[in-house]
Amino acid sequence: PQFERQPGWRKLRVLYARALADSGDKQRALAVIQPLTDRPDAAPDELRLATGIARSAGDPVAAQLEQRIARTAPEWVGGQLAMA
């Protein structure tokens, strides 16, 4: 896929992970979104998507992702990092 050539393309990873999850391939969806959720600047919508996928797959990482959502930096507004 295109994101292998451009691994930082966040939107594509989110869309691809969502499509994989919707098709039932939850583990592959988690593998696609994981590089984003591993980042310290993971967006709340990326974390929520990964949490939902992990929860539906019965993956224990869902609890860790939920904790990260609860600690989301206040700079995040509307899914985008607010620029000062």
Side-chain angles (χ1 to χ4, degrees):
Q2 181 71 21
F3 67 79
E4 290 174 355
R5 287 182 276 175
Q6 297 181 6
W9 195 355
R10 294 172 88 141
K11 185 170 181 91
L12 182 60
R13 280 193 177 273
V14 168
L15 292 173
Y16 189 46
R18 186 173 288 133
L20 287 169
D22 289 347
S23 71
D25 195 347
K26 310 287 189 203
Q27 293 305 317
R28 193 160 162 214
L30 282 173
V32 167
I33 196 88
Q34 182 179 0
L36 300 181
T37 61
D38 285 349
R39 295 172 54 136
D41 65 340
D45 59 329
E46 296 164 353
L47 294 170
R48 281 191 294 273
L49 174 62
T51 300
I53 295 169
R55 193 178 304 126
S56 68
D59 194 310
V61 77
Q64 296 169 352
L65 292 168
E66 287 172 348
Q67 290 175 355
R68 288 208 41 217
I69 291 170
R71 293 188 318 257
T72 300
E75 293 83 22
W76 280 101
V77 178
Q80 298 296 320
L81 188 59
M83 297 295 182

